[in-house]
Amino acid sequence: MKVQNTLTTGTSRRVFTAGAISVVAALALSACGGAAATAPATATAKPDLKASGASTITMWVDAERSPALKDITAKFQADTGIEVKLVVKDFAAVRDDFITQVPTGKGPDLIVGPHDWVGKFVQNGVIAPVELGDKAADFQDSSIKAMTFNGSVYGVPYAIENIALLRNTDMVPAAAKTFDEVISNGKQAVADGKAAFPFLVGMDPKQGDPYHLYPLQASMGSQVFGKAADGGYDPKQLLIGDAAGVEFAKKLAAWGDAGEKIINSNITGDIAKEKFLAGESPYFLTGPWNVPDVQKKGIKFAVDALPTAGDKPAQPFIGVNGFFISSKSANALATNEFVANYLTSEAAQDSMYKAGGRPPALKASFEKAASDPVVEAFGKIGATGVPMPAIPEMSAVWADWGATELALIKGQGDPAADWAKMAESIKTKIAG
């Protein structure tokens, strides 16, 4: 998974309402699932959505998620007479196609994608805020934060994705709280002849992997951006080059090829996975996308909370997938009804979980999915994470950040000087 192109993630590593039209409380009676769906149909008048001129809503979706939406779209059509047409698109190109086509009026009413598209979408004026009202409280707080930009919520979340530490329990029976403990346990496993590598995390040959290493950086008090008054990321507050960041840079050099050899610049994500599956390391820093292969291999493993390298929590970046509404939707009223009262339902969220296997954003759906201990573990870690910055300025960060980290891991350059140079380069790109 290449986070720069996602996430995500998934991997690496996400529908909006046109015009932010408020949905009256009576519409809740038509929601799929929940007590409201059982209320008497005569309790309140229901607006005639077809009278607004809508006969079809179009949603762009990838091939994996399209089948999971068929039941909820059928329910909506049965209730309202309005068809939701699912158009399968290539995930790699769909974001740019959406940005290009929405202004022409040829784009869809809805799109499925990751939250880190939000900044670009808002910048281009192609999505509109979603009116969730009290329903926002039904979702994990971190997922709503991820979908919030400039104080407005721009999507209905359905899944949360983040990394964790996989541990081979035959090699190391107990979880570690700190990265120093992980290193010590890993070295002992190597010394005992149980393992060849004390710790595994994949490195891109050109860009390293700041996404996977971020929890260690965050635990040392180093963040990328500061926060604005509304709680969102502020591109004017670039914090990555501060003293805490420099201390993390020094740690990277110490952990790398010329130091303790804990992080190996020559081990890619595929190699890291291969070595863990071969039983050559007790630890693998990765996401849920690699768990199925670990299970198939029959390895006894645990999903551990992320270890700390400093005195702060080891918060991972989270990626949130959701539904966004086009700002140019020709069927705004019907689209808002579908988003606010159908895609927020347990039926829809449960179905999306079954298709993707990621912890659901809806609390009620997560409680059911958490009967799987792996989902429960990843979900608890994600609940403590921070949304990957979705502001457009984040695109100016990844290249310098990753290249600098990789050079330090390789033992090249000076941590303090190179980290400062990296921060200045990012600042210049953002200003430009």
Side-chain angles (χ1 to χ4, degrees), residues 38-74:
T38 64
T42 57
T44 55
K46 186 173 180 178
D48 184 356
L49 297 177
K50 294 200 73 173
S52 68
S55 60
T56 303
I57 294 172
T58 302
M59 180 191 293
W60 283 1
V61 62
D62 59 276
E64 178 185 349
R65 293 165 181 80
S66 180
L69 290 164
K70 289 188 176 178
D71 286 347
I72 202 67
T73 58

Side-chain angles (χ1 to χ4, degrees), residues 15-17 57-61 84 98 107-112 323-326 329 335-336 338-339 343:
V15 67
F16 294 56
T17 72
I57 294 172
T58 302
M59 180 191 293
W60 283 1
V61 62
V84 181
F98 185 76
D109 297 288
L110 306 170
I111 187 172
V112 181
F323 306 97
F324 309 98
I325 296 178
S326 166
S329 170
T335 302
N336 274 275
F338 180 57
V339 170
L343 294 179

